[in-house]
Amino acid sequence: MTKNRAPFHHIVSAVLIFIFSFIWLTPQATASSMFGDFTVKDEIKLGGEFNKMIHERMPIVLDPQITEYVSKLVARIAHEMPPQPFPITSAVINNNAMNAFAIPGGYIYIFTGLILNLKHESELAAVIGHELAHVSLRHVARRMEKMKLVNIASMLGTLAGMMLGMSGGDNAASIGQAMAMGSIAGAQTAYLSYTQQNEREADHLGMNYLVASGFNPTSMVDSFKLMKQRQWYVSNNNIPSYLSTHPGLDDRIDYLKQRFVRMPPAFFTRVSDDVDFHKIQTLIRARRTDPKVALAHYNNIPEADINCLDQLGLGIILSRMEQNQKAEKAFVQANKDCPNDPLILREMGRFYFTMGKMDKASPLLREAYLRAPNDAMTLFFIARIQAERKDYAQAIPTMRRVAEMVPRDQEIHYHLGRMLGESGNYFGAHKQLAYAALYGRNKKQALFHLKKAEGLAKTKAQKAQLITLQKRVNPVAEN
């Protein structure tokens, strides 16, 4: 979480940037930057198209608990960057690869596998700092500029080939390789990869961002060591992709250590608050990995060391495996060990909801809401309980609020559509079901509900909403 910092901290941050900047002098992108033919405007366009492709083709995590945590951590690091001509935008990709990357235009992507395999928030912050340094230094943009690619499609394919084509053999790699082969030769994609000098510059500037954000500088070295260590414990097909796109860790660890001797000793006493980081790891492990593998992880923890988050993880996994009695026992123990924790209350309420025990689910979710009123997942299940009780006057506004908080989630729009249909609002129902199909990448189903909505649109407001929906389902191709 971003912590409130006194004005003195901002002064220290500025001084740190100034002190460390003597190590190298590399121009960074500003609002007025123009480098040859590949301008900042081009970067923004390319980044937007790439981001659109990622959201259309990759499993983007929409759980607000995870995305908001990552977004706040990215914002904390980005705050220490010089002014950029674009906002820094983050997304989390549901993928076991140990990877993260940033692209021109200020987009940064974190894989769930990276979050899961790091030990501390500060290590994740170090990786984020390094990636944002690549953006600030325009490393990819400069090399694309030299390649003189002729159009946005070839740029997009090359960028995908570099960033996704080395992700350890799963769907990310397949998409990256297909995009590269479909638009440009592999040799040019390889040319786009980071050079040793690029890495050195990004390491040093990323270290500046890390330290200025209040983290221990050793975290960057620790994250690199962990990835290198990980290489020896996995098969060749699952080597951390960060080692493929960011090579030469040994030398990089050495020169980063050399910087430590010039830093104030107080920097090395900094300790990360890992509470939220460990909650996010628990959610990822319990909900987004193979349940048998996740269960083995918790079974290997000595009984004396199991804490409430471990019990929570066990409860989620056991419920996924339909071992409901054991799951309930784990949830109860988690709530006993950490009473009134909003995440535990939410997940326990969610469990009882899936069991059909609304009387048990409702008070838990209500309590979770009182303690964390901006948790969209809690509100989602509260709305569904209201709908189960046919209280559509409460359920529909609650679910609309959830849809505003998480606007591109298929399941949210699906249930909102069902609620509207059951309440007699058939235009609204088909509109929401069309959006659900759209976000679920089911064009045929989206068109079906669009046609139904077209026949039901009567009021001026409905017709205006219909035009927006038509543009989303049948976007006009850009020249």
Side-chain angles (χ1 to χ4, degrees):
M1 291 286 237
T2 304
K3 297 181 179 179
N4 292 326
R5 290 175 281 172
F8 175 75
H9 183 86
H10 294 288
I11 296 172
V12 171
S13 299
V15 171
L16 287 171
I17 294 291
F18 176 79
I19 290 173
F20 294 143
S21 64
F22 77 91
I23 296 174
W24 71 96
L25 185 61
T26 305
Q28 298 176 37
T30 64
S32 61
S33 295
M34 289 288 187
F35 295 91
D37 295 328
F38 191 68
T39 66
V40 170
K41 184 178 180 180
D42 295 325
E43 284 190 54
I44 294 171
K45 181 175 177 60
L46 175 63
E49 289 295 325
F50 186 92
N51 187 57
K52 180 181 177 183
M53 180 197 76
I54 287 289
H55 279 79
E56 288 176 350
R57 305 191 187 190
M58 295 290 288
I60 299 296
V61 174
L62 296 175
D63 184 337
Q65 192 87 11
I66 297 171
T67 58
E68 288 177 14
Y69 168 79
V70 170
S71 178
K72 287 179 180 179
L73 185 58
V74 168
R76 178 174 172 180
I77 307 299
H79 183 270
E80 309 305 333
M81 299 171 70
Q84 299 297 306
F86 34 65
I88 302 299
T89 305
S90 64
V92 180
I93 298 175
N94 188 33
N95 188 293
N96 290 331
M98 223 175 154
N99 199 15
F101 62 89
I103 62 167
Y107 296 91
I108 180 169
Y109 305 92
I110 313 295
F111 285 41
T112 53
L114 178 69
I115 299 172
L116 197 58
N117 285 287
L118 296 176
K119 293 181 178 179
H120 301 286
E121 177 181 83
S122 58
E123 294 168 356
L124 180 58
V127 174
I128 291 169
H130 176 91
E131 290 306 311
L132 292 183
H134 279 306
V135 171
S136 184
L137 293 162
R138 292 190 84 245
H139 284 151
V140 174
R142 288 173 182 275
R143 294 182 76 79
M144 295 193 83
E145 180 180 289
K146 292 179 181 179
M147 292 171 69
K148 299 186 183 303
L149 299 174
V150 295
N151 55 45
I152 195 74
S154 60
M155 291 180 183
L156 189 62
T158 305
L159 189 60
M162 176 196 175
M163 297 300 183
L164 296 176
M166 300 179 182
S167 297
D170 54 16
N171 60 335
S174 300
I175 291 170
Q177 290 161 1
M179 289 294 293
M181 291 302 175
S183 62
I184 199 161
Q188 288 179 300
T189 297
Y191 173 80
L192 192 62
S193 299
Y194 296 126
T195 66
Q196 289 183 347
Q197 181 63 23
N198 290 158
E199 296 293 12
R200 188 180 186 93
E201 291 169 350
D203 285 341
H204 284 302
L205 186 57
M207 176 71 80
N208 287 3
Y209 297 160
L210 181 71
V211 173
S213 301
F215 291 101
N216 192 313
T218 60
S219 302
M220 185 170 285
V221 168
D222 291 342
S223 65
F224 288 167
K225 282 182 175 179
L226 194 61
M227 290 183 203
K228 188 171 181 295
Q229 189 179 48
R230 174 80 174 163
Q231 182 177 4
W232 300 102
Y233 291 102
V234 294
S235 67
N236 289 336
N237 288 333
N238 289 306
I239 289 174
S241 49
Y242 213 76
L243 298 182
S244 298
T245 52
H246 299 71
L249 290 186
D250 286 330
D251 290 341
R252 294 162 65 190
I253 288 170
D254 288 340
Y255 61 62
L256 286 173
K257 282 184 174 180
Q258 291 170 17
R259 285 192 61 183
F260 292 166
V261 299
R262 298 190 294 273
M263 294 182 182
F267 287 3
F268 301 94
T269 63
R270 294 172 174 176
V271 178
S272 291
D273 180 356
D274 287 330
V275 172
D276 290 329
F277 177 73
H278 288 150
K279 284 184 177 181
I280 298 309
Q281 282 189 316
T282 299
L283 285 177
I284 291 172
R285 176 174 287 110
R287 289 222 174 271
R288 299 178 180 275
T289 63
D290 184 293
K292 292 181 180 178
V293 174
L295 185 61
H297 166 84
Y298 289 112
N299 286 339
N300 286 331
I301 299 175
E303 187 173 349
D305 295 334
I306 292 179
N307 59 33
C308 60
L309 281 182
D310 298 328
Q311 292 288 359
L312 173 63
L314 273 170
I316 294 171
I317 294 160
L318 290 166
S319 66
R320 287 176 63 196
M321 300 175 76
E322 299 183 354
Q323 297 182 28
N324 293 325
Q325 287 186 336
K326 291 182 179 179
E328 183 175 23
K329 182 179 178 181
F331 281 123
V332 169
Q333 188 63 49
N335 193 37
K336 180 180 178 181
D337 293 343
C338 294
N340 299 321
D341 181 286
L343 179 61
I344 293 173
L345 291 169
R346 182 191 88 178
E347 292 299 321
M348 193 172 179
R350 181 177 180 174
F351 165 72
Y352 283 125
F353 174 87
T354 59
M355 293 286 291
K357 298 180 179 181
M358 305 303 167
D359 290 342
K360 286 190 174 183
S362 185
L364 290 166
L365 291 166
R366 290 288 178 185
E367 186 65 28
Y369 170 73
L370 290 174
R371 296 179 181 278
N374 294 319
D375 188 325
M377 189 73 74
T378 298
L379 282 171
F380 173 77
F381 283 102
I382 288 175
R384 290 192 63 187
I385 289 175
Q386 292 167 339
E388 287 287 329
R389 293 170 175 171
K390 310 298 181 184
D391 185 4
Y392 299 116
Q394 293 292 327
I396 291 171
T398 303
M399 192 62 84
R400 285 194 190 279
R401 183 182 169 193
V402 178
E404 290 174 0
M405 297 167 75
V406 191
R408 298 180 63 87
D409 186 274
Q410 175 189 7
E411 193 175 6
I412 292 169
H413 287 281
Y414 171 78
H415 285 287
L416 179 55
R418 289 287 302 274
M419 292 173 190
L420 288 164
E422 290 169 8
S423 71
N425 183 346
Y426 300 117
F427 168 80
H430 284 292
K431 184 187 78 170
Q432 294 299 332
L433 291 172
Y435 279 116
L438 187 65
Y439 298 138
R441 303 170 194 170
N442 188 334
K443 183 69 176 289
K444 182 178 180 181
Q445 193 70 10
L447 285 169
F448 170 81
H449 288 293
L450 173 61
K451 291 294 183 183
K452 290 288 187 180
E454 287 173 343
L456 292 164
K458 304 298 181 185
T459 68
K460 186 176 179 180
Q462 288 175 339
K463 290 176 181 178
Q465 294 171 31
L466 186 62
I467 291 171
T468 301
L469 177 60
Q470 288 167 337
K471 290 179 180 178
R472 294 296 303 276
V473 176
N474 289 309
V476 178
E478 294 185 11
N479 293 327

